[in-house]
Amino acid sequence: MTTHTRDRVQKINLTDALTVQKFVMDPSRVRIITGAVGSGKSVGCCGEVMRLAMAQEPSPDGIRYSKVAIIRNTYAELRTTTLATWKDMFPEDICGPVIHSAPIEHHIKIKDADGLGLDLQVLFVSADRPKDVRKLLSLELSYIWFNEVREMERSIFTAAGDRIGRYPSLKTHGVWATRDCIIADTNAADEDSWLYELEMEAPDDHAFFHQPPAVYEISEIPEGLEYDEKDLIAAAGTKYLVNPNAENKKNLKPNYYESKIPGKTRDWISVYYQGHWGYIADGKPVVPGYNDALMSRDDLPILDDKELLIGIDIGGGTLSPAAIIGQRSPRGVWMIHAEVVCSEMGLENFSKEITFCLNDIFDGRKIDRGWTDPAGKNRDPLYETTIIQHLQSKGFPVREGPTNASKPRVEAIMAPMGRFLDGQPGFLIHKRCKVLRAGLSGKWKYKRVQTVGEAKYANVPDKNDWSHPCDALGYLLSGGGENTLLKGRDPDRRTAKTRKAFKPFSPFTR
């Protein structure tokens, strides 16, 4: 990619960033690129902003007119990161001063001896300033760049699409905008984010690009990739290898990723250095041993000859009930097939949702056994029966879980995740269980206690939208045998009747 600014030619070499190259050359109206930190996304977008301006059809006066909005989620990040990257590529001493108004503006005007030239207005808009957002929604723009689009609200992203292609206009400049489009870059978002939903929807004239990971976890290193053991980096309880084919690596400081990874959590590495969809916990994860990339599956088989089990969190009539349905394989691997997560829903409709799930995923198969919150023995005020009795009347053979104490239930969840059978973890989950996976990935957390100095956390998990399915999983696994395994007993072995010890007859005792 080549861009011209006054007497300087700015060349951007994309041979080491093939995904960025494909992103730049794609003709789609909306283009979004996702990748690791340091992968060249922002630099590529800066170059694309200028390339689009240079590709604009000249007006009758020989000038190529364009107006672009560059949008970041906060004003602080806009100034310290986005604007800094832009000025590094298009410095003020060559391209003119940046005006720190509301919004910030960089007006680049270039004219050669023949009168031909470029007139590019670049507006830097922060999504957290109402004044900037109001101005954005009234602007006449050529195109837009969203920097770190995952941090934006979908409503802003959607509304911004109506502002492009309006400048230049045939009435004022004699030509229309040559290319009206939205470009966006981002680190990986969460699977329950609007950005993930948009990519899964795959609307027409939208293109999505994913750069290769900057590092591989040891279990994900591609077959045939040769490496030396000394090249592995220990972090987050496992080991990583820097991808020799990581994009933009040649433009980074030597050992860039090798120095960044140590001290980071697994979810941080997964999102920021591997580009996986995921969530960065702002508290302490309840289940730090969960690895979504290793444990989630698209094709988890449902075993016909094994019991279908259910764990339910419904407590004393909560309106946020959840159920987790799974099986335990003959080798002892837990396979979690489905979740039923509801909000503002009573017991009757929740029971119907479980039935719908059984019909949809399990071909109408019945639940064989299940466990629920011991608080379910409390009477429901509407039906004047206990919650457990009501669930039983709907065909769900559930009983009280072994305990509603958080510690043993968390231990029951963590135990199979630490077991490996034939190279596979003892806990597998279907990718359709999005809420449960997000909870296990860190949204189910111990809330940080506000203290000075070393970080401290609450003793029990925080109650939030992700805690309910995680609690249901705890009842399933503890009721299904993990609690007895932790105590050194085999859950599949039948308990024999206790026999009294033999005592010989003594004439001195009765």
Side-chain angles (χ1 to χ4, degrees):
M1 180 192 298
T2 303
T3 62
H4 298 263
T5 52
R6 292 190 188 275
D7 56 347
R8 186 176 82 166
V9 176
Q10 175 82 330
K11 292 185 177 180
I12 304 173
N13 188 348
L14 298 180
T15 57
D16 192 37
L18 297 180
T19 309
V20 178
Q21 188 178 100
K22 294 176 182 177
F23 165 79
V24 167
M25 301 310 296
D26 189 90
S28 302
R29 188 169 187 265
V30 177
R31 294 170 283 163
I32 301 176
I33 183 169
T34 302
V37 171
S39 60
K41 303 182 301 295
S42 297
V43 171
C45 286
C46 284
E48 178 64 351
V49 167
M50 184 60 72
R51 191 189 72 83
L52 289 170
M54 291 165 52
Q56 169 62 37
E57 180 184 354
S59 293
D61 61 2
I63 306 297
R64 303 174 190 271
Y65 292 96
S66 294
K67 186 189 296 182
V68 58
I70 299 178
I71 307 172
R72 187 70 190 254
N73 58 313
T74 70
Y75 183 73
E77 289 172 314
L78 181 73
R79 288 193 61 187
T80 59
T81 59
T82 312
L83 182 59
T85 301
W86 175 265
K87 287 165 52 175
D88 185 57
M89 288 193 65
F90 306 108
E92 294 178 86
D93 61 334
I94 295 175
C95 300
V98 172
I99 307 301
H100 289 267
S101 53
I104 299 171
E105 181 177 355
H106 194 192
H107 198 164
I108 300 175
K109 296 182 179 181
I110 303 171
K111 202 168 186 178
D112 60 24
D114 298 327
L116 302 177
L118 179 76
D119 188 306
L120 171 62
Q121 296 181 59
V122 184
L123 305 176
F124 295 86
V125 180
S126 61
D128 65 342
R129 287 194 165 191
K131 184 187 297 184
D132 283 9
V133 174
R134 285 195 299 270
K135 185 164 186 176
L136 167 67
L137 299 180
S138 65
L139 287 173
E140 308 289 316
L141 299 169
S142 309
Y143 45 94
I144 292 174
W145 167 27
F146 282 97
N147 186 213
E148 276 302 331
V149 68
R150 69 172 186 171
E151 306 292 347
M152 308 292 171
E153 294 183 13
R154 186 166 189 172
S155 58
I156 294 177
F157 183 83
T158 302
D162 294 331
R163 310 316 306 171
I164 60 177
R166 292 170 169 258
Y167 183 94
S169 68
L170 190 65
K171 180 179 179 181
T172 57
H173 298 92
V175 294
W176 294 112
T178 300
R179 178 87 184 270
D180 55 308
C181 63
I182 291 176
I183 62 172
D185 72 291
T186 187
N187 294 122
D190 193 352
E191 278 193 13
D192 62 2
S193 72
W194 68 266
L195 190 59
Y196 179 84
E197 292 177 359
L198 181 68
E199 183 164 344
M200 295 303 104
E201 292 166 6
D204 290 342
D205 220 9
H206 285 58
F208 301 88
F209 301 85
H210 290 266
Q211 295 176 288
V215 299
Y216 293 115
E217 189 173 353
I218 189 168
S219 61
E220 302 170 346
I221 296 175
E223 187 176 350
L225 179 60
E226 297 182 0
Y227 63 93
D228 195 304
E229 287 289 330
K230 65 180 178 59
D231 295 329
L232 295 175
I233 309 157
T238 184
K239 292 183 179 181
Y240 294 88
L241 177 71
V242 174
N243 180 4
N245 299 313
E247 298 196 353
N248 197 49
K249 192 163 172 274
K250 293 178 181 177
N251 296 316
L252 299 175
K253 182 181 177 181
N255 298 316
Y256 178 82
Y257 293 113
E258 289 87 342
S259 64
K260 299 289 185 183
I261 292 174
K264 300 294 195 303
T265 61
R266 176 175 284 172
D267 54 358
W268 185 282
I269 295 169
S270 176
V271 170
Y272 288 108
Y273 300 126
Q274 295 184 288
H276 294 157
W277 299 105
Y279 170 76
I280 306 297
D282 58 357
K284 181 182 177 182
V286 176
V287 189
Y290 177 71
N291 182 342
D292 190 69
L294 179 64
M295 299 176 184
S296 63
R297 296 286 189 275
D298 280 315
D299 55 351
L300 197 59
I302 298 172
L303 306 179
D304 294 333
D305 59 344
K306 295 300 291 183
E307 290 181 307
L308 200 59
L309 309 174
I310 192 170
I312 297 176
D313 176 51
I314 200 164
T318 176
L319 291 179
S320 298
I324 301 299
I325 302 173
Q327 294 177 302
R328 193 165 181 259
S329 79
R331 296 294 306 277
V333 175
W334 279 100
M335 301 185 298
I336 307 303
H337 297 300
E339 64 181 10
V340 180
V341 183
C342 305
S343 62
E344 299 300 318
M345 183 175 290
L347 188 57
E348 180 71 15
N349 287 331
F350 176 58
S351 301
K352 292 178 181 178
E353 290 296 322
I354 297 176
T355 301
F356 292 153
C357 176
L358 291 171
N359 291 336
D360 182 38
I361 297 175
F362 303 93
D363 294 327
R365 187 172 167 180
K366 302 296 183 182
I367 295 293
D368 294 296
R369 286 191 296 157
W371 300 267
T372 185
D373 184 346
K377 63 186 178 182
N378 298 330
R379 290 189 178 277
D380 182 274
L382 180 60
Y383 295 99
E384 296 184 350
T385 184
T386 70
I387 292 173
I388 291 178
Q389 288 173 338
H390 185 83
L391 290 169
Q392 290 171 342
S393 73
K394 297 300 178 180
F396 307 125
V398 297
R399 57 182 177 178
E400 292 179 43
T403 179
N404 60 0
S406 63
K407 184 178 179 181
R409 286 188 288 112
V410 171
E411 290 176 345
I413 294 173
M414 293 176 65
M417 295 180 185
R419 296 195 297 263
F420 279 78
L421 303 169
D422 299 327
Q424 295 295 321
F427 180 90
L428 299 173
I429 182 171
H430 199 285
K431 285 187 180 292
R432 70 168 69 94
C433 303
K434 293 183 179 180
V435 183
L436 178 59
R437 288 169 54 215
L440 296 175
S441 295
K443 288 194 172 183
W444 190 34
K445 60 191 177 183
Y446 296 106
K447 199 170 184 179
R448 182 167 181 171
V449 179
Q450 295 297 324
T451 58
V452 177
E454 184 179 353
K456 294 184 179 181
Y457 300 90
N459 294 322
V460 295
D462 189 30
K463 287 292 183 182
N464 56 26
D465 292 341
W466 297 272
S467 64
H468 307 298
C470 292
D471 283 334
L473 178 67
Y475 294 124
L476 170 61
L477 269 58
S478 60
E482 288 300 328
N483 64 320
T484 53
L485 281 174
L486 290 168
K487 294 176 182 178
R489 300 196 299 270
D490 184 352
D492 293 328
R493 183 177 178 181
R494 294 184 178 275
T495 304
K497 291 184 178 180
T498 303
R499 301 179 63 183
K500 293 182 179 180
F502 172 74
K503 293 183 178 180
F505 174 76
S506 170
F508 302 103
T509 61
R510 292 184 178 180

